[in-house]
Amino acid sequence: MSGPLVVLVGPMGVGKSTVGQLLAERLGAGYRDTDDDIVAEQGRSIAEIFVDEGEDAFRAIEKQAVHRALAEHDGVLALGGGAILDADTRGLLAGQRVVYLAMDVEEAVKRTGLNAARPLLAVNPRKQWRELMEARRHLYEGVATAVIATDGRTPEEVAQAALDALELKEA
C-alpha cells in the first residue's frame, strides 16, 4: 500500500493534530497536517483565506494540499475537517488506513469553546457545528477504516485505540 501509514479525519477540534503526533511518535513515523501545509504555502491563516477569498477558494487550495500530501507522505497525515467534502479526495482515501476521530457537540464545546477563530462557526456555533456534522458524518464514516470515539478519552487513549483498531504495532 502506498501513501500515508495512517490518515486522520474528523471535525475541527477533535484532536487530529495531537493524536496524529502521538501516533507518529509511537509508529516511528513522520507527522504532517494539511492545514499546516496550507498556512505555510499561503503565508496566512485558514481563517484569513476564508475571509479574503471565501470557502470555495479555500476548498480548492485544500484539495491540492491534500492530494499532494497523500502522494508524498508515508507517515501519519491529518486532514482538515472539511477535506472529505471533495469527492476526488474521498476517492483517493479508498484503500488507505483512515481513522475517523468522532465526538459529540458537548465535547466539541469543551475542547474548542467553539470560538470565532473557526470561520465556519462564527454565528451560533453549537447549531452550526451540529449542522456541519449532520452534513459530514456520513462522509467521514464512508472513508473510515476505523471510527474512534474521542469523548472523555485522553489523546493517549485515542492513539492507542487507533493503533489497536488498525492492528498497527509501535516502533
Coordinates of all heavy atoms in Angstrom, one line a residue, residues 63-159:
K63 N -7.8 21.0 -1.5 CA -7.8 19.8 -2.3 C -6.4 19.6 -2.9 O -5.9 18.4 -2.8 CB -8.8 20.0 -3.5 CG -8.9 18.8 -4.4 CD -9.9 19.0 -5.5 CE -9.9 17.8 -6.5 NZ -11.0 17.9 -7.5
Q64 N -5.8 20.6 -3.3 CA -4.4 20.4 -3.9 C -3.5 20.0 -2.8 O -2.6 19.1 -3.0 CB -3.9 21.7 -4.5 CG -4.6 22.1 -5.8 CD -4.1 23.4 -6.4 OE1 -3.6 24.3 -5.6 NE2 -4.2 23.6 -7.7
A65 N -3.6 20.6 -1.6 CA -2.7 20.3 -0.5 C -2.9 18.8 0.0 O -1.9 18.1 0.2 CB -2.9 21.2 0.7
V66 N -4.1 18.4 0.0 CA -4.4 17.0 0.5 C -3.9 16.0 -0.6 O -3.3 15.0 -0.2 CB -5.9 16.9 0.7 CG1 -6.3 15.4 0.9 CG2 -6.4 17.7 1.9
H67 N -4.2 16.3 -1.8 CA -3.7 15.4 -2.9 C -2.2 15.2 -2.9 O -1.7 14.1 -3.0 CB -4.3 15.8 -4.2 CG -5.8 15.6 -4.3 ND1 -6.4 15.2 -5.5 CD2 -6.8 15.7 -3.4 CE1 -7.7 15.1 -5.3 NE2 -7.9 15.4 -4.0
R68 N -1.5 16.4 -2.7 CA -0.1 16.4 -2.7 C 0.4 15.6 -1.5 O 1.3 14.7 -1.6 CB 0.5 17.8 -2.7 CG 1.9 18.0 -2.9 CD 2.4 19.4 -3.1 NE 1.7 20.4 -2.3 CZ 0.8 21.3 -2.7 NH1 0.4 21.3 -4.0 NH2 0.3 22.2 -1.9
A69 N -0.2 15.8 -0.3 CA 0.3 15.1 0.9 C 0.0 13.6 0.8 O 0.8 12.8 1.2 CB -0.4 15.7 2.1
L70 N -1.1 13.2 0.2 CA -1.4 11.8 0.1 C -0.4 11.1 -0.8 O -0.1 10.0 -0.6 CB -2.8 11.6 -0.5 CG -4.0 11.8 0.5 CD1 -5.3 11.9 -0.2 CD2 -4.0 10.8 1.6
A71 N 0.1 11.8 -1.8 CA 1.0 11.3 -2.8 C 2.5 11.3 -2.2 O 3.2 10.3 -2.5 CB 1.0 12.1 -4.1
E72 N 2.8 12.2 -1.4 CA 4.2 12.4 -0.9 C 4.5 11.8 0.5 O 5.6 11.4 0.7 CB 4.5 13.9 -0.8 CG 4.5 14.7 -2.1 CD 4.6 16.2 -1.9 OE1 4.7 16.6 -0.7 OE2 4.7 16.9 -2.9
H73 N 3.5 11.8 1.4 CA 3.8 11.5 2.8 C 3.6 10.0 3.1 O 2.5 9.4 2.7 CB 2.9 12.4 3.7 CG 3.3 12.3 5.1 ND1 4.5 12.8 5.6 CD2 2.6 11.8 6.2 CE1 4.5 12.6 6.9 NE2 3.4 12.0 7.3
D74 N 4.5 9.4 3.8 CA 4.3 8.0 4.2 C 4.2 7.8 5.7 O 4.3 6.6 6.1 CB 5.5 7.2 3.6 CG 6.9 7.6 4.2 OD1 6.9 8.5 5.0 OD2 7.9 7.0 3.7
G75 N 4.0 8.8 6.4 CA 3.8 8.7 7.9 C 2.3 8.9 8.3 O 1.4 8.3 7.6
V76 N 2.1 9.6 9.3 CA 0.8 9.9 9.8 C 0.4 11.3 9.2 O 1.1 12.3 9.3 CB 0.7 9.9 11.3 CG1 -0.6 10.3 11.8 CG2 1.2 8.6 11.9
L77 N -0.8 11.3 8.6 CA -1.3 12.5 8.0 C -2.7 12.9 8.5 O -3.6 12.1 8.6 CB -1.5 12.3 6.5 CG -2.0 13.4 5.6 CD1 -1.1 14.6 5.6 CD2 -2.3 12.9 4.2
A78 N -2.8 14.2 9.0 CA -4.0 14.7 9.5 C -4.6 15.6 8.4 O -3.9 16.5 7.9 CB -3.8 15.5 10.8
L79 N -5.9 15.4 8.1 CA -6.6 16.3 7.1 C -7.5 17.3 7.8 O -8.0 17.0 8.9 CB -7.5 15.4 6.2 CG -6.8 14.3 5.4 CD1 -7.8 13.7 4.4 CD2 -5.5 14.8 4.7
G80 N -7.7 18.5 7.2 CA -8.6 19.4 7.7 C -10.0 18.9 7.8 O -10.4 17.9 7.1
G81 N -10.8 19.4 8.7 CA -12.2 18.9 8.9 C -13.0 18.8 7.7 O -13.9 17.9 7.6
G82 N -12.9 19.7 6.7 CA -13.7 19.7 5.5 C -13.1 19.0 4.3 O -13.7 19.0 3.3
A83 N -11.9 18.4 4.5 CA -11.2 17.8 3.3 C -12.1 16.7 2.6 O -12.0 16.6 1.4 CB -9.9 17.3 3.7
I84 N -12.9 16.0 3.4 CA -13.6 14.9 2.9 C -14.9 15.4 2.1 O -15.5 14.5 1.5 CB -14.1 13.9 4.0 CG1 -14.7 14.7 5.2 CG2 -12.9 13.1 4.5 CD1 -16.1 15.1 5.1
L85 N -15.1 16.7 2.0 CA -16.2 17.2 1.2 C -16.0 16.9 -0.3 O -16.9 16.8 -1.0 CB -16.5 18.6 1.5 CG -16.9 19.0 2.9 CD1 -16.9 20.5 3.1 CD2 -18.3 18.4 3.2
D86 N -14.7 16.9 -0.7 CA -14.4 16.7 -2.1 C -14.4 15.2 -2.5 O -13.7 14.4 -1.9 CB -12.9 17.3 -2.3 CG -12.5 17.1 -3.7 OD1 -13.1 17.9 -4.6 OD2 -11.7 16.2 -4.0
A87 N -15.2 14.9 -3.5 CA -15.4 13.6 -4.0 C -14.0 12.9 -4.5 O -13.8 11.8 -4.2 CB -16.4 13.5 -5.1
D88 N -13.2 13.7 -5.1 CA -11.9 13.2 -5.6 C -11.0 12.8 -4.4 O -10.4 11.8 -4.4 CB -11.2 14.2 -6.5 CG -11.8 14.5 -7.8 OD1 -12.6 13.6 -8.3 OD2 -11.6 15.6 -8.4
T89 N -11.0 13.6 -3.4 CA -10.3 13.3 -2.2 C -10.8 12.0 -1.5 O -10.0 11.2 -1.2 CB -10.4 14.5 -1.2 OG1 -9.7 15.6 -1.8 CG2 -9.7 14.1 0.1
R90 N -12.1 11.9 -1.4 CA -12.7 10.7 -0.9 C -12.2 9.5 -1.7 O -11.9 8.4 -1.2 CB -14.2 10.7 -0.8 CG -14.7 11.8 0.2 CD -16.2 11.6 0.6 NE -17.1 11.7 -0.6 CZ -17.5 12.8 -1.1 NH1 -17.2 14.0 -0.7 NH2 -18.3 12.7 -2.2
G91 N -12.2 9.6 -3.0 CA -11.7 8.5 -3.9 C -10.3 8.1 -3.6 O -9.9 7.0 -3.5
L92 N -9.4 9.1 -3.4 CA -8.0 8.9 -3.0 C -7.9 8.2 -1.7 O -6.9 7.5 -1.4 CB -7.2 10.2 -3.1 CG -6.9 10.8 -4.4 CD1 -6.2 12.1 -4.3 CD2 -6.2 9.8 -5.3
L93 N -8.8 8.4 -0.8 CA -8.7 7.8 0.5 C -9.1 6.3 0.5 O -8.8 5.6 1.5 CB -9.6 8.6 1.5 CG -9.1 10.0 1.9 CD1 -10.1 10.7 2.7 CD2 -7.7 9.9 2.6
A94 N -9.8 5.9 -0.5 CA -10.2 4.5 -0.6 C -8.9 3.7 -0.7 O -8.0 4.0 -1.4 CB -11.0 4.3 -1.9
G95 N -8.9 2.6 0.2 CA -7.7 1.8 0.2 C -6.7 2.2 1.2 O -5.7 1.6 1.4
Q96 N -6.8 3.4 1.8 CA -5.9 3.9 2.8 C -6.4 3.5 4.2 O -7.6 3.2 4.4 CB -5.8 5.5 2.7 CG -5.3 6.0 1.4 CD -3.8 5.9 1.3 OE1 -3.1 5.7 2.2 NE2 -3.4 5.9 0.0
R97 N -5.5 3.5 5.2 CA -5.9 3.3 6.6 C -6.4 4.7 7.1 O -5.6 5.5 7.4 CB -4.7 2.9 7.4 CG -4.3 1.4 7.2 CD -3.3 1.1 8.3 NE -2.5 0.0 7.9 CZ -1.3 0.0 7.2 NH1 -0.8 1.1 6.9 NH2 -0.7 -1.1 6.9
V98 N -7.7 4.9 7.2 CA -8.3 6.1 7.6 C -9.0 6.0 8.9 O -9.8 5.1 9.1 CB -9.3 6.7 6.5 CG1 -9.9 8.0 7.0 CG2 -8.6 6.8 5.1
V99 N -8.6 6.8 9.9 CA -9.2 6.8 11.2 C -10.1 8.1 11.3 O -9.6 9.2 11.2 CB -8.2 6.8 12.3 CG1 -8.9 6.9 13.7 CG2 -7.4 5.5 12.2
Y100 N -11.4 7.9 11.5 CA -12.3 9.0 11.8 C -12.4 9.2 13.3 O -12.8 8.3 14.0 CB -13.7 8.6 11.2 CG -14.8 9.5 11.7 CD1 -14.7 10.8 12.1 CD2 -16.1 8.9 11.7 CE1 -15.8 11.5 12.5 CE2 -17.2 9.6 12.1 CZ -17.1 10.9 12.5 OH -18.1 11.6 13.0
L101 N -11.9 10.3 13.8 CA -12.0 10.7 15.2 C -13.3 11.4 15.4 O -13.5 12.5 14.8 CB -10.8 11.6 15.6 CG -9.4 10.9 15.4 CD1 -8.3 11.9 15.9 CD2 -9.3 9.6 16.2
A102 N -14.2 10.8 16.2 CA -15.5 11.3 16.3 C -15.7 11.9 17.7 O -15.1 11.5 18.7 CB -16.5 10.2 16.1
M103 N -16.6 12.9 17.8 CA -17.0 13.5 19.1 C -18.4 14.1 19.0 O -18.8 14.4 17.9 CB -16.0 14.5 19.6 CG -16.0 15.8 18.8 SD -14.7 16.9 19.5 CE -14.7 18.1 18.2
D104 N -19.0 14.2 20.2 CA -20.4 14.9 20.2 C -20.2 16.4 20.4 O -19.1 16.9 20.7 CB -21.3 14.2 21.1 CG -21.0 14.5 22.6 OD1 -20.2 15.4 22.9 OD2 -21.4 13.7 23.5
V105 N -21.3 17.1 20.2 CA -21.2 18.6 20.3 C -20.8 19.1 21.7 O -20.1 20.1 21.8 CB -22.6 19.2 19.9 CG1 -23.7 19.0 20.9 CG2 -22.4 20.7 19.6
E106 N -21.2 18.4 22.7 CA -20.8 18.9 24.1 C -19.3 18.8 24.2 O -18.6 19.6 24.8 CB -21.5 18.1 25.2 CG -23.0 18.3 25.2 CD -23.5 19.7 25.0 OE1 -22.9 20.6 25.7 OE2 -24.4 20.0 24.3
E107 N -18.7 17.7 23.7 CA -17.2 17.5 23.8 C -16.6 18.6 22.9 O -15.5 19.2 23.3 CB -16.8 16.1 23.3 CG -15.4 15.8 23.4 CD -15.0 15.4 24.9 OE1 -15.8 15.3 25.7 OE2 -13.8 15.3 25.1
A108 N -17.2 18.9 21.7 CA -16.6 20.0 20.9 C -16.6 21.3 21.6 O -15.6 22.1 21.5 CB -17.4 20.1 19.6
V109 N -17.7 21.6 22.3 CA -17.8 22.9 23.1 C -16.6 22.9 24.1 O -16.0 23.9 24.2 CB -19.1 23.0 23.7 CG1 -19.1 24.2 24.7 CG2 -20.2 23.2 22.7
K110 N -16.4 21.8 24.8 CA -15.4 21.8 25.9 C -14.0 22.0 25.2 O -13.2 22.7 25.8 CB -15.4 20.4 26.6 CG -16.4 20.3 27.7 CD -16.2 19.1 28.5 CE -17.0 17.9 27.9 NZ -16.9 16.7 28.7
R111 N -13.8 21.4 24.1 CA -12.4 21.4 23.5 C -12.1 22.7 22.8 O -11.0 23.1 22.9 CB -12.3 20.2 22.5 CG -12.2 18.9 23.2 CD -11.8 17.8 22.3 NE -12.1 16.6 22.9 CZ -11.8 15.4 22.4 NH1 -11.3 15.4 21.2 NH2 -12.1 14.3 23.0
T112 N -13.0 23.2 22.0 CA -12.7 24.3 21.2 C -13.3 25.6 21.7 O -12.9 26.7 21.3 CB -13.3 24.2 19.8 OG1 -14.7 24.2 19.8 CG2 -12.8 22.9 19.1
G113 N -14.3 25.5 22.6 CA -15.0 26.7 23.0 C -15.9 27.2 21.9 O -16.6 28.2 22.0
L114 N -15.8 26.4 20.8 CA -16.5 26.8 19.5 C -16.3 28.3 19.3 O -17.2 29.1 19.2 CB -17.9 26.4 19.5 CG -18.2 24.9 19.5 CD1 -19.7 24.6 19.6 CD2 -17.5 24.2 18.4
N115 N -15.0 28.7 19.2 CA -14.7 30.2 19.1 C -14.7 30.7 17.7 O -14.7 30.0 16.7 CB -13.4 30.4 19.9 CG -12.2 29.7 19.2 OD1 -12.2 29.5 18.0 ND2 -11.3 29.3 20.0
A116 N -14.6 32.0 17.6 CA -14.6 32.7 16.4 C -13.4 32.5 15.4 O -13.5 32.8 14.3 CB -14.8 34.2 16.6
A117 N -12.4 31.9 16.0 CA -11.2 31.5 15.1 C -11.6 30.4 14.1 O -10.8 30.1 13.2 CB -10.0 31.1 15.9
R118 N -12.7 29.8 14.3 CA -13.3 28.8 13.4 C -14.2 29.4 12.4 O -15.4 29.7 12.8 CB -14.0 27.7 14.2 CG -13.2 27.1 15.4 CD -12.1 26.2 14.9 NE -11.5 25.6 16.1 CZ -10.6 24.6 16.0 NH1 -10.2 24.1 14.8 NH2 -10.0 24.1 17.0
P119 N -13.8 29.7 11.2 CA -14.6 30.6 10.3 C -16.0 30.0 10.0 O -17.0 30.8 9.8 CB -13.8 30.7 9.1 CG -12.7 29.7 9.2 CD -12.5 29.4 10.6
L120 N -16.2 28.7 10.0 CA -17.5 28.1 9.7 C -18.4 28.1 10.9 O -19.5 27.7 10.8 CB -17.3 26.7 9.2 CG -16.7 26.6 7.8 CD1 -16.6 25.1 7.4 CD2 -17.5 27.3 6.8
L121 N -17.9 28.5 12.1 CA -18.7 28.5 13.3 C -18.9 29.9 13.9 O -19.1 30.0 15.1 CB -18.1 27.6 14.3 CG -17.9 26.1 13.9 CD1 -17.2 25.4 15.0 CD2 -19.2 25.5 13.6
A122 N -18.8 30.9 13.1 CA -18.8 32.3 13.6 C -20.1 32.7 14.3 O -20.1 33.5 15.2 CB -18.4 33.3 12.5
V123 N -21.2 32.3 13.8 CA -22.5 32.6 14.3 C -23.2 31.4 14.8 O -23.3 30.4 14.1 CB -23.4 33.3 13.2 CG1 -24.7 33.7 13.7 CG2 -22.7 34.5 12.6
N124 N -23.7 31.4 16.1 CA -24.4 30.3 16.7 C -23.6 29.0 16.5 O -24.0 28.1 15.8 CB -25.8 30.1 16.1 CG -26.7 29.2 17.0 OD1 -26.2 28.5 17.8 ND2 -28.0 29.2 16.7
P125 N -22.4 28.9 17.2 CA -21.5 27.8 17.0 C -22.1 26.4 17.2 O -21.8 25.5 16.4 CB -20.4 28.1 18.0 CG -20.5 29.6 18.3 CD -21.9 29.9 18.1
R126 N -22.9 26.2 18.3 CA -23.4 24.9 18.6 C -24.3 24.4 17.4 O -24.2 23.3 17.0 CB -24.2 24.9 19.9 CG -23.4 24.9 21.1 CD -24.3 24.9 22.3 NE -23.5 25.2 23.5 CZ -23.3 24.3 24.5 NH1 -23.9 23.1 24.4 NH2 -22.5 24.6 25.5
K127 N -25.2 25.3 17.0 CA -26.1 24.9 15.9 C -25.3 24.7 14.6 O -25.6 23.7 13.9 CB -27.1 26.1 15.7 CG -28.1 25.8 14.5 CD -29.1 27.0 14.5 CE -30.1 26.7 13.4 NZ -29.7 27.3 12.1
Q128 N -24.3 25.5 14.3 CA -23.6 25.3 13.1 C -22.7 24.0 13.2 O -22.6 23.3 12.2 CB -22.7 26.6 12.8 CG -23.6 27.7 12.3 CD -22.7 29.0 12.1 OE1 -22.2 29.5 13.0 NE2 -22.7 29.3 10.8
W129 N -22.2 23.8 14.4 CA -21.4 22.5 14.5 C -22.3 21.3 14.3 O -21.9 20.4 13.5 CB -20.7 22.5 15.9 CG -19.7 21.4 16.0 CD1 -18.4 21.6 15.7 CD2 -19.9 20.0 16.3 NE1 -17.7 20.4 15.8 CE2 -18.6 19.4 16.2 CE3 -21.0 19.3 16.7 CZ2 -18.4 18.1 16.5 CZ3 -20.8 17.9 17.0 CH2 -19.5 17.3 16.9
R130 N -23.5 21.3 14.8 CA -24.4 20.2 14.6 C -24.7 20.0 13.2 O -24.8 18.9 12.6 CB -25.7 20.4 15.4 CG -25.5 20.0 16.9 CD -26.9 19.9 17.6 NE -26.8 19.7 19.0 CZ -26.8 20.7 19.9 NH1 -27.0 22.0 19.5 NH2 -26.6 20.4 21.2
E131 N -25.0 21.2 12.5 CA -25.3 21.1 11.1 C -24.2 20.6 10.2 O -24.3 19.8 9.3 CB -25.8 22.5 10.6 CG -27.2 22.8 11.1 CD -27.6 24.3 10.8 OE1 -26.8 25.0 10.2 OE2 -28.7 24.6 11.2
L132 N -23.0 21.1 10.5 CA -21.8 20.6 9.8 C -21.6 19.1 10.0 O -21.4 18.4 9.1 CB -20.5 21.3 10.4 CG -20.2 22.6 9.8 CD1 -18.9 23.2 10.6 CD2 -19.9 22.6 8.4
M133 N -21.8 18.6 11.2 CA -21.7 17.2 11.5 C -22.8 16.4 10.8 O -22.5 15.3 10.3 CB -21.6 16.9 13.0 CG -20.3 17.3 13.6 SD -18.9 16.5 12.7 CE -19.2 14.8 12.9
E134 N -24.0 16.9 10.8 CA -25.1 16.2 10.1 C -24.7 16.1 8.6 O -25.0 15.0 8.0 CB -26.4 16.9 10.2 CG -27.0 16.7 11.6 CD -28.2 17.6 11.9 OE1 -28.9 18.1 10.9 OE2 -28.5 17.8 13.1
A135 N -24.1 17.1 8.0 CA -23.7 17.1 6.6 C -22.5 16.2 6.3 O -22.4 15.7 5.2 CB -23.5 18.5 6.1
R136 N -21.6 16.1 7.3 CA -20.3 15.4 7.1 C -20.2 14.0 7.7 O -19.3 13.3 7.2 CB -19.2 16.3 7.6 CG -19.1 17.6 6.9 CD -18.0 18.4 7.6 NE -17.8 19.7 6.9 CZ -16.9 20.6 7.3 NH1 -16.1 20.4 8.3 NH2 -16.9 21.8 6.6
R137 N -21.0 13.7 8.7 CA -20.7 12.4 9.4 C -20.7 11.2 8.5 O -19.8 10.4 8.5 CB -21.8 12.2 10.5 CG -21.6 11.0 11.3 CD -22.6 10.8 12.5 NE -22.3 11.9 13.5 CZ -23.1 12.9 13.7 NH1 -24.2 13.1 13.0 NH2 -22.8 13.8 14.6
H138 N -21.6 11.2 7.5 CA -21.7 10.0 6.6 C -20.4 10.0 5.7 O -20.0 8.9 5.3 CB -23.0 10.0 5.8 CG -23.0 11.1 4.7 ND1 -23.3 12.4 5.1 CD2 -22.9 11.0 3.4 CE1 -23.3 13.1 3.9 NE2 -23.1 12.3 2.9
L139 N -19.9 11.2 5.4 CA -18.7 11.2 4.6 C -17.5 10.7 5.4 O -16.6 10.0 4.8 CB -18.4 12.7 4.1 CG -19.5 13.3 3.2 CD1 -19.2 14.7 2.9 CD2 -19.7 12.4 1.9
Y140 N -17.4 11.2 6.6 CA -16.3 10.7 7.5 C -16.4 9.1 7.6 O -15.4 8.4 7.4 CB -16.4 11.3 8.9 CG -16.0 12.7 9.0 CD1 -16.8 13.6 9.7 CD2 -14.9 13.3 8.4 CE1 -16.5 14.9 9.9 CE2 -14.5 14.6 8.6 CZ -15.4 15.4 9.3 OH -15.1 16.8 9.4
E141 N -17.6 8.7 7.9 CA -17.8 7.2 8.1 C -17.5 6.5 6.8 O -17.0 5.4 6.8 CB -19.2 6.9 8.6 CG -19.4 7.4 10.0 CD -20.9 7.4 10.5 OE1 -21.8 7.2 9.6 OE2 -21.1 7.6 11.7
G142 N -17.8 7.1 5.6 CA -17.7 6.4 4.3 C -16.2 6.2 4.0 O -15.9 5.3 3.3
V143 N -15.3 7.1 4.4 CA -13.9 6.9 4.1 C -13.1 6.2 5.2 O -12.0 5.8 5.0 CB -13.2 8.3 3.9 CG1 -13.8 9.0 2.7 CG2 -13.1 9.1 5.1
A144 N -13.8 5.9 6.4 CA -13.0 5.4 7.5 C -12.8 3.9 7.5 O -13.7 3.1 7.2 CB -13.8 5.8 8.8
T145 N -11.6 3.5 7.8 CA -11.3 2.1 8.1 C -11.7 1.8 9.5 O -12.1 0.7 9.9 CB -9.8 1.9 8.0 OG1 -9.3 2.4 6.7 CG2 -9.4 0.4 8.1
A146 N -11.6 2.8 10.4 CA -11.9 2.7 11.8 C -12.5 4.0 12.3 O -12.1 5.1 11.9 CB -10.7 2.3 12.7
V147 N -13.5 3.9 13.2 CA -14.1 5.1 13.8 C -13.7 5.0 15.3 O -14.0 4.0 16.0 CB -15.6 5.1 13.7 CG1 -16.2 6.3 14.4 CG2 -16.0 5.1 12.2
I148 N -13.1 6.0 15.8 CA -12.7 6.1 17.2 C -13.4 7.2 17.9 O -13.2 8.4 17.5 CB -11.2 6.3 17.4 CG1 -10.4 5.3 16.5 CG2 -10.7 6.3 18.8 CD1 -10.5 3.8 17.0
A149 N -14.2 6.9 18.9 CA -14.9 8.0 19.7 C -13.8 8.6 20.6 O -13.1 7.9 21.3 CB -16.0 7.4 20.5
T150 N -13.8 9.9 20.7 CA -12.8 10.6 21.5 C -13.4 11.2 22.8 O -12.6 11.6 23.6 CB -12.1 11.8 20.7 OG1 -13.1 12.7 20.4 CG2 -11.5 11.3 19.4
D151 N -14.7 11.2 22.9 CA -15.3 11.8 24.1 C -14.8 11.1 25.4 O -14.8 9.9 25.5 CB -16.8 11.5 24.0 CG -17.4 12.1 22.7 OD1 -17.7 13.3 22.7 OD2 -17.5 11.3 21.7
G152 N -14.4 12.0 26.3 CA -13.9 11.6 27.6 C -12.7 10.7 27.6 O -12.3 10.1 28.6
R153 N -11.9 10.7 26.5 CA -10.7 10.0 26.4 C -9.5 10.9 26.3 O -9.6 12.0 25.7 CB -10.7 9.1 25.2 CG -11.5 7.9 25.2 CD -11.5 7.2 23.9 NE -11.6 5.7 24.0 CZ -11.7 4.9 23.0 NH1 -11.9 5.4 21.8 NH2 -11.8 3.6 23.2
T154 N -8.4 10.5 26.8 CA -7.1 11.3 26.7 C -6.6 11.1 25.3 O -6.9 10.0 24.6 CB -6.1 10.9 27.7 OG1 -5.7 9.5 27.4 CG2 -6.6 11.0 29.1
P155 N -5.8 12.0 24.8 CA -5.2 11.8 23.5 C -4.4 10.4 23.4 O -4.4 9.7 22.4 CB -4.2 13.0 23.3 CG -4.9 14.0 24.1 CD -5.4 13.3 25.3
E156 N -3.7 10.1 24.5 CA -3.0 8.8 24.6 C -4.0 7.6 24.4 O -3.6 6.6 23.7 CB -2.2 8.7 25.9 CG -1.1 9.7 26.0 CD -1.5 11.1 26.4 OE1 -2.7 11.3 26.7 OE2 -0.6 12.0 26.2
E157 N -5.1 7.7 25.0 CA -6.1 6.6 24.9 C -6.6 6.5 23.5 O -6.9 5.4 23.0 CB -7.3 6.8 25.9 CG -6.9 6.6 27.4 CD -7.9 7.1 28.4 OE1 -8.7 8.0 28.0 OE2 -7.9 6.5 29.5
V158 N -6.9 7.6 22.9 CA -7.4 7.7 21.5 C -6.3 7.1 20.5 O -6.6 6.3 19.7 CB -7.8 9.1 21.1 CG1 -8.1 9.2 19.6 CG2 -8.9 9.6 21.9
A159 N -5.1 7.5 20.7 CA -4.0 7.0 19.9 C -3.9 5.5 20.0 O -3.7 4.8 19.0 CB -2.7 7.7 20.3

